[in-house]
Amino acid sequence: MSLSSQWSCQQWPFIVQAMTILVLASIALLVTMAIRFIACETSMREMRGSSRSQIALEGLPHHLAPALGHVEDAEDTNLTSKKTCLFTISAFNNYGFVKSFLKRLQKLHPDLLCLVWVVADNIQDWAPNGMKNLTSEILYDVQQQPLPWHVVTVDQLQPYLGDFSYAELAFRYDMVCFNTALKPAAFKYIFHEFGAGKVLFFDNDIWILQPVTALIDALDHYSLVLTPHSTQPFPLDGFKQDERNIMLAGQFNFGFVGMAATETTFEWLEYWNRRLRFYGFARPNEGMHFDQNWANFIVSYFPQSKYLIWRDPRYNVAYWNLHYRGVHLHMVEDQVMYDQDPVVFMHFSGMSDLLNYNIESISRHQNRFSMADFPRLRPIFEKYLEMLRAEDAMRWRHVPYGFCCFDDGTDVPQVVRNFYAEVLDPGTQSGDLALINGFKERVAFDSPFVNGDSNSKVSLLRWMWQPVHHPNKHIPSWWPEIIWQIYYQRKDLQSRYPDVLGKDSKRLFRWFQKRGIKEYHLDEERMLSFFDRASRQSKGLFVVHRLEAIALRLEAHPY
């Protein structure tokens, strides 16, 4: 045997072994690649199934689709529930708008069974006369709907307000501000009591035209979804609205806001709730415009991955963005379009009083446009008005607002609400500390509507009719606090009657007799008692005032 043949025979087992290893390695590689391919396909299918917000946006033209940016999976959320709830808030007297809104929503989203009406109104036995029968009729009407909506009342929200009462908010604010100040507690209630993973709020003067699925799906990835008032600059022409008005009102419009059940959301709701306890007024020049100014801080306080600013021009169309959206709007066969794409929802702010609404003005809150500027807009507005009238939306407007009076039926003067808000405002703690501390110690301020003393506290109304609690040389010591507060809050009265201890006293009290009692809903018997006290204190100077007051009362209410 040759040397080469001998070597081959000796090495053959090694060659076979090597080839076997190579084949096995190749098979292993092919199996690995197959597994990765299958995993990739599975992952893609899961993404198509779970990342529904992406799918919802696929059909949109590129210029309409909101940029999702860096998308995270429900961030710090750990969303244990995919249940979605949509809600609105109003007093009983706006039920006509609520009904129209919820019926439209129900038609577009028959799959959503969690539609909620939060009633920001008084349901206690001492509600104003005539209110109880009307509200019972409203609640009965709710129950007659094919799929009744959930009704949540203010007493149910109380545990989610924290360490202050809803009565405090109802007394501090007017009806509309009270509605919006309850919004954080309403979100928390719906998250917890309904087990919702996603909650969306809409004002009930919004016309939802298309399903809001894309907004719901976006909450798979973001804690908060917001719509800005405008995404393009206004002309510099001095008309309303412009950027100055928007800066006062807030960058985002909170007629819509969506939230997911995340740590970020609950952190925001707690912050928002604490601020709205005191600072939810409609006073733009003081940095307050209902609840929505506070949303400005979302973009500063939270990372961009936690919120989505929804810029799609087909959402939240309203008078404040008509300067660039108006020319794109038109109606095709009862469908509102933005160029070639359907509008999802429009916001008809400033139209709530249908009896006095002027369609030519578009909205009473602006003067930049008239309907003549957008001829194709008229059919859209007429269609919405037709829908509201078909639902008899104004039917319930005569229902009294339940927090307009004390529990004994006495009207709540606005001056008392103003004083109450000021004395409890943390921002006034550097003022008259003796007055502030005395008020908190002696007055049952957490039950401001109760017109009766408790064991240890006096009622707010009694406090207001007691002699001034902070006398000085400019205030007659025998004036009731309420009279002083009217004078103090009215700069025109101070200018017209500067010498209330001397020559202007008679003229000021004549003003109270002829105008003040009626304007401030002051109790006539208490005012007569006040004139008596004034007469004694001033040695008969005010006897004529009391006689005039009696004559005026007899004239107004003849026996």
Side-chain angles (χ1 to χ4, degrees), residues 201-239:
F201 167 82
F202 291 91
D203 278 342
N204 44 74
D205 58 356
I206 283 176
W207 185 13
I208 297 184
L209 295 145
Q210 299 293 328
V212 293
T213 309
L215 296 174
I216 295 171
D217 293 344
L219 291 170
D220 284 331
H221 309 286
Y222 295 93
S223 291
L224 307 164
V225 177
L226 319 167
T227 53
H229 279 101
S230 175
T231 58
Q232 292 190 24
F234 291 83
L236 289 174
D237 53 14
F239 289 107

Side-chain angles (χ1 to χ4, degrees), residues 260-541:
T262 72
E263 292 179 10
T264 295
T265 292
F266 292 120
E267 181 182 346
W268 158 253
L269 288 174
E270 186 61 29
Y271 165 86
W272 194 26
N273 185 59
R274 300 300 300 177
R275 296 309 183 271
L276 290 180
R277 177 183 182 182
F278 302 106
Y279 306 121
F281 290 99
R283 299 175 184 172
N285 292 330
E286 296 179 26
M288 294 176 281
H289 190 73
F290 304 104
D291 60 317
Q292 70 186 17
N293 300 66
W294 297 105
N296 292 351
F297 293 102
I298 289 175
V299 299
S300 299
Y301 293 167
F302 299 104
Q304 291 183 19
S305 60
K306 307 300 184 185
Y307 60 85
L308 174 61
I309 299 175
W310 196 273
R311 298 168 54 84
D312 188 323
R314 302 173 307 132
Y315 291 72
N316 215 351
V317 178
Y319 71 82
W320 50 74
N321 47 47
L322 288 180
H323 61 288
Y324 65 98
R325 299 187 190 183
V327 296
H328 298 277
L329 300 170
H330 60 104
M331 183 168 267
V332 177
E333 297 179 352
D334 288 341
Q335 190 170 33
V336 181
M337 306 295 290
Y338 187 93
D339 291 337
Q340 304 304 312
D341 303 291
V343 171
V344 179
F345 70 86
M346 296 184 68
H347 196 161
F348 291 88
S349 178
M351 192 190 281
S352 58
D353 184 1
L354 297 184
L355 299 179
N356 298 303
Y357 174 66
N358 177 14
I359 193 172
E360 304 302 328
S361 68
I362 298 178
S363 170
R364 70 178 186 271
H365 301 313
Q366 66 90 40
N367 61 14
R368 179 179 298 282
F369 300 115
S370 69
M371 192 60 74
D373 295 309
F374 302 108
R376 298 194 301 174
L377 206 58
R378 184 182 297 274
I380 299 173
F381 275 60
E382 289 176 344
K383 184 68 176 178
Y384 179 66
L385 288 169
E386 177 187 331
M387 182 181 68
L388 292 175
R389 289 173 180 138
E391 292 292 344
D392 197 9
M394 294 298 290
R395 175 183 175 186
W396 307 99
R397 279 301 168 85
H398 64 288
V399 177
Y401 176 50
F403 291 113
C404 65
C405 63
F406 292 97
D407 65 354
D408 64 353
T410 304
D411 287 333
V412 178
Q414 184 59 44
V415 65
V416 179
R417 293 185 190 270
N418 295 345
F419 171 77
Y420 179 84
E422 183 178 357
V423 77
L424 292 178
D425 181 355
T428 63
Q429 297 303 300
S430 59
D432 189 339
L433 292 180
L435 171 67
I436 294 169
N437 293 333
F439 179 86
K440 291 181 177 179
E441 290 172 4
R442 296 183 54 203
V443 179
F445 64 86
D446 56 343
S447 302
F449 291 99
V450 177
N451 192 7
D453 299 345
S454 64
N455 293 332
S456 58
K457 304 258 186 171
V458 300
S459 69
L460 173 61
L461 190 58
R462 179 184 291 273
W463 167 276
M464 295 303 297
W465 279 103
Q466 289 177 352
V468 286
H469 301 282
H470 45 116
N472 60 52
K473 63 181 180 181
H474 303 295
I475 310 172
S477 60
W478 38 267
W479 276 25
E481 183 69 41
I482 191 170
I483 298 298
W484 162 246
Q485 287 299 326
I486 292 172
Y487 182 74
Y488 170 75
Q489 294 178 27
R490 290 281 298 268
K491 302 303 179 185
D492 60 326
L493 294 182
Q494 296 175 39
S495 176
R496 195 180 309 164
Y497 312 117
D499 187 7
V500 295
L501 291 174
K503 62 181 182 179
D504 293 319
S505 59
K506 183 176 180 180
R507 293 169 57 229
L508 174 62
F509 279 84
R510 185 170 284 114
W511 177 87
F512 269 105
Q513 292 161 9
K514 292 186 176 180
R515 296 184 55 186
I517 293 176
K518 182 177 180 180
E519 184 175 334
Y520 286 94
H521 305 286
L522 299 176
D523 183 273
E524 293 181 354
E525 292 299 329
R526 294 190 184 208
M527 284 301 293
L528 289 175
S529 175
F530 164 59
F531 288 134
D532 277 341
R533 188 163 63 252
S535 177
R536 291 193 298 272
Q537 292 290 337
S538 56
K539 299 181 180 179
L541 179 62

Side-chain angles (χ1 to χ4, degrees), residues 77-90:
T77 70
N78 236 347
L79 278 179
T80 57
S81 171
K82 293 294 184 180
K83 182 177 181 179
T84 298
C85 293
L86 284 75
F87 80 100
T88 191
I89 298 177
S90 84

